[in-house]
Amino acid sequence: MDRNLALELVRVTETAALASGRFMGRGDKNGADGAAVEGMRLAFGSMKIRGEVVIGEGELDEAPMLYIGEKVGCGTQEDMEVDIAVDPLEGTTLIAKGLPNVISVIAMAEKGCLLNAPDTYMKKIIVGPKAKGCIDIDASVEENLRNVAKALDKDITDLTVIIQDRERHADIISDIRRVGARIKMFGDGDVAAGIATCFEDTGVDILLGIGGAPEGVITAAAIKCMGGDMQCRLNPMSEEEVKRCYQMGLTDDDINKTLYIDDLAKGEDIFFAATGITDGDLLKGLVHYDKNIAKTHSVVMRYKTGTIRFVDAIHRLDKSEILKNLMKKYGRK
């Protein structure tokens, strides 16, 4: 497909960011999430695609918009059928507290090319392009770090591992410290943390740990666009999560098998877009509002061409009916 949907997709994440950015630091994570979801859903309405949400806000009975299976876009039979994975507001707790690294994010691919991951946990290991092919989810932490250090021509003590600050990672953190690598903790935001491995100026070399499976699929789309590498394995942490896997038709073998990046996001037509809502390592975020003007910072990617664009946008809020209505509802009265 010659049409670059990434440039259209960024308008969707921008709209979600502009709507939810009003809630920064207000202690209302549900309000922020609701604004992001509404903004994203409205923006999808103007995209000429035949889209289906495969990773979204939950099942139909759990989410009024962007639920799994929902059809989005205004495309006709001539337009592309696509799978869509969304996280309208990654970091709901973060935005409620006014903390960094909140983003709005979307991955999109041809129909059947994004893994319909169950809402469970997933073990992940992610690296950038220079360490591609050097990771093994079954190897020890030390072995993986030594292989990545060799690929990057670094001493292992110069490596930086990004890992979520959770009790479940105590053993991994202990192993990292034992071999002498550096650690960068993050609170929330699996997608932003994973993408950081592919940008040298973030200082992050590898992600290790257990995070959300749906977020893993979104991350995989970006990592593939950037030429990085990723291995995963489903890691349900309760009987309820195991049951959820079975309900999706997965077997024990499916749950225990290694998932490579092409298992998560396959094909040539893969697109990714993210817009910063608060300042972060990758995106400037902190949506700026000034009367009828707002500014956003985004990244958009396309696997087919390998293009990565950073987009600084200035929005006239009074020129778009969607933005005008969202600002009236969530911004100034």
Side-chain angles (χ1 to χ4, degrees), residues 39-114:
M40 183 172 281
R41 183 63 181 85
L42 289 171
F44 266 130
S46 62
M47 280 194 72
K48 294 190 71 176
I49 55 170
R50 290 183 291 154
E52 180 176 342
V53 177
V54 297
I55 291 175
E57 293 295 286
E59 303 295 335
L60 175 58
D61 59 347
E62 299 172 356
M65 289 184 285
L66 298 179
Y67 55 84
I68 296 170
E70 182 176 1
K71 309 294 184 181
V72 297
C74 62
T76 65
Q77 290 299 316
E78 298 177 354
D79 294 303
M80 186 180 183
E81 279 194 280
V82 293
D83 285 342
I84 295 171
V86 303
D87 196 342
L89 181 62
E90 192 198 29
T92 54
T93 300
L94 298 179
I95 195 170
K97 296 179 179 180
L99 294 172
N101 288 315
V102 184
I103 61 175
S104 176
V105 62
I106 300 172
M108 186 163 64
E110 282 190 276
K111 186 70 177 171
C113 289
L114 292 181

Side-chain angles (χ1 to χ4, degrees), residues 4-235:
N4 190 355
L5 287 171
L7 294 176
E8 299 177 49
L9 206 58
V10 73
R11 298 189 183 100
V12 181
T13 56
E14 285 173 345
T15 304
L18 288 167
S20 59
R22 292 289 193 185
F23 288 83
M24 187 181 73
R26 293 183 178 178
D28 185 3
K29 65 179 184 179
N30 292 331
D33 189 52
V37 171
E38 183 176 358
M40 183 172 281
R41 183 63 181 85
L42 289 171
F44 266 130
S46 62
M47 280 194 72
K48 294 190 71 176
I49 55 170
R50 290 183 291 154
E52 180 176 342
V53 177
V54 297
I55 291 175
E57 293 295 286
E59 303 295 335
L60 175 58
D61 59 347
E62 299 172 356
M65 289 184 285
L66 298 179
Y67 55 84
I68 296 170
E70 182 176 1
K71 309 294 184 181
V72 297
C74 62
T76 65
Q77 290 299 316
E78 298 177 354
D79 294 303
M80 186 180 183
E81 279 194 280
V82 293
D83 285 342
I84 295 171
V86 303
D87 196 342
L89 181 62
E90 192 198 29
T92 54
T93 300
L94 298 179
I95 195 170
K97 296 179 179 180
L99 294 172
N101 288 315
V102 184
I103 61 175
S104 176
V105 62
I106 300 172
M108 186 163 64
E110 282 190 276
K111 186 70 177 171
C113 289
L114 292 181
L115 179 69
N116 190 354
D119 188 9
T120 183
Y121 281 97
M122 173 183 275
K123 184 178 180 182
K124 307 171 189 176
I125 178 169
I126 306 173
V127 292
K130 291 183 179 180
K132 186 174 183 178
C134 296
I135 55 174
D136 182 352
I137 201 167
D138 291 317
S140 67
V141 169
E142 180 175 355
E143 186 177 347
N144 274 304
L145 294 185
R146 292 199 180 280
N147 288 338
V148 170
K150 183 177 179 180
L152 299 180
D153 193 25
K154 287 185 175 185
D155 189 272
I156 199 167
T157 59
D158 294 329
L159 280 186
T160 299
V161 184
I162 193 166
I163 187 167
Q164 195 170 21
D165 186 11
R166 295 291 187 269
E167 187 176 344
R168 61 179 177 268
H169 293 145
D171 290 342
I172 298 175
I173 291 169
S174 177
D175 288 341
I176 297 168
R177 288 172 174 165
R178 180 174 52 80
V179 299
R182 303 191 305 168
I183 296 174
K184 181 175 183 177
M185 298 279 198
F186 69 96
D188 294 292
D190 283 25
V191 178
I195 295 171
T197 62
C198 291
F199 290 96
E200 292 187 11
D201 56 0
T202 65
V204 173
D205 299 304
I206 180 172
L207 177 144
L208 295 172
I210 298 169
E215 290 84 354
V217 175
I218 297 174
T219 305
I223 298 300
K224 186 167 182 177
C225 287
M226 292 185 286
D229 202 4
M230 180 173 180
Q231 290 185 20
C232 304
R233 180 174 294 129
L234 294 177
N235 197 98

